[in-house]
């Protein structure tokens, strides 16, 4: 106890950092593999057709490493809206090695609306027969890389739907974009669980 009036109390805290080069240290990082909207590349679409279709994107690893697979921690994570996503496949190969060439891509032609006009690079693959899953598997099976290059896969189902917790937002300046505003704090369900085989990879 101090008698009134007493001068302000001042506290000090000492922080020490120790850097280590120990071999037991295992770095972890996150790679976002979907190409963002914008630019002129043909994999930047955020618009899909109302009929069944397929789209793909491609990326390169920046360093050597391995994919951490943990069902408990939902890793890897694939953000998929159940309304739009039937399945997803991740291959250790380029699109061309999988038989996915750019001549297959067509501009989205049946999803015109006032909120999101169709862009010149809103491109998807609409295989004949309206069965993109079957068409993809057939094309990959006959490709240079083949189905053995498949590393991760997801098929939407009620049994395997997963939940993602989303923080609530308001319409303040903390959220400058309209799509960021007035989110209801809740759990949102995603298409399904991503399954992966052990996958070690090299840079590039």
């Amino acid at each position: 106890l101090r008698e009134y009036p007493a001068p302000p109390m001042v506290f000090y805290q000492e922080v020490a950092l120790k850097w280590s080069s120990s071999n037991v240290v295992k770095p972890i990082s996150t790679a976002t593999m979907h190409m963002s909207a914008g630019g002129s590349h043909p994999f930047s679409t955020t618009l899909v057709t109302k009929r069944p279709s397929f789209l793909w994107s491609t990326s390169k690893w920046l360093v050597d490493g391995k994919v951490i697979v943990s069902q408990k921690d939902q890793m890897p994570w694939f953000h998929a809206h159940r309304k739009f996503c039937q399945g997803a496949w991740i291959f250790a190969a380029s699109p061309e090695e999988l038989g996915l060439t750019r001549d297959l891509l067509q501009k989205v032609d049946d999803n015109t609306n006032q909120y999101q006009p169709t862009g010149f690079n809103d491109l998807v693959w609409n295989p004949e027969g309206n069965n993109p899953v079957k068409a993809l598997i057939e094309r990959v099976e006959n490709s240079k890389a083949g189905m053995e290059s498949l590393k991760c896969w997801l098929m939407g189902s009620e049994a395997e739907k997963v939940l993602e917790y989303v923080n609530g937002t308001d319409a303040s300046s903390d959220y400058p974009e309209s799509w960021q505003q007035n989110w209801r704090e809740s759990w949102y369900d995603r298409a399904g669980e991503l399954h992966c085989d052990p996958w070690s990879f090299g840079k590039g």
Side-chain angles (χ1 to χ4, degrees):
L1 296 177
R2 299 192 304 158
E3 295 183 0
Y4 180 86
M9 297 183 67
V10 179
F11 296 88
Y12 296 90
Q13 182 178 16
E14 181 178 338
V15 178
L17 299 177
K18 181 180 180 181
W19 296 96
S20 172
S21 59
S22 172
N23 292 330
V24 299
V25 176
K26 295 183 178 180
I28 182 172
S29 61
T30 301
T32 302
M33 305 304 287
H34 173 70
M35 290 190 173
S36 299
S40 58
H41 55 78
F43 306 117
S44 62
T45 180
T46 57
L47 191 66
V48 295
T49 53
K50 293 182 179 179
R51 63 188 187 279
S53 61
F54 184 81
L55 57 87
W56 65 84
S57 125
T58 180
S59 302
K60 291 184 178 182
W61 295 110
L62 300 178
V63 295
D64 298 343
K66 68 177 180 179
V67 174
I68 297 177
V69 181
S70 171
Q71 287 184 315
K72 177 182 177 181
D73 301 309
Q74 293 187 347
M75 297 176 63
W77 173 259
F78 187 82
H79 182 110
H81 293 265
R82 301 187 73 206
K83 184 177 181 180
F84 305 109
C85 180
Q86 180 183 359
W89 297 264
I90 301 174
F91 298 90
S94 68
E96 291 75 19
E97 292 171 333
L98 297 167
L100 301 175
T101 52
R102 295 190 183 187
D103 60 290
L104 297 173
L105 299 173
Q106 298 176 345
K107 189 174 180 178
V108 174
D109 58 5
D110 66 351
N111 201 357
T112 303
N113 62 80
Q114 60 179 323
Y115 304 105
Q116 184 175 353
T118 304
F120 69 92
N121 55 351
D122 281 323
L123 304 170
V124 296
W125 176 29
N126 287 116
E128 295 182 5
N130 284 338
N131 191 338
V133 176
K134 182 174 181 290
L136 170 68
I137 293 175
E138 289 179 350
R139 184 163 284 268
V140 173
E141 283 179 339
N142 295 303
S143 70
K144 176 183 177 181
M147 288 299 293
E148 55 268 25
S149 64
L150 178 66
K151 297 300 182 181
C152 301
W153 62 93
L154 174 155
M155 284 299 295
S157 71
E158 190 67 27
E160 283 198 340
K161 72 177 183 181
V162 295
L163 299 177
E164 179 182 9
Y165 187 75
V166 177
N167 292 320
T169 65
D170 53 34
S172 68
S173 58
D174 292 336
Y175 308 97
E177 300 291 336
S178 59
W179 65 268
Q180 298 173 320
Q181 299 174 0
N182 297 321
W183 278 83
R184 183 163 58 91
E185 182 178 2
S186 183
W187 290 92
Y188 289 81
D189 59 329
R190 301 306 179 199
E193 183 177 343
L194 190 66
H195 300 271
C196 292
D197 289 331
W199 184 7
S200 295
F201 51 84
K203 179 180 179 180

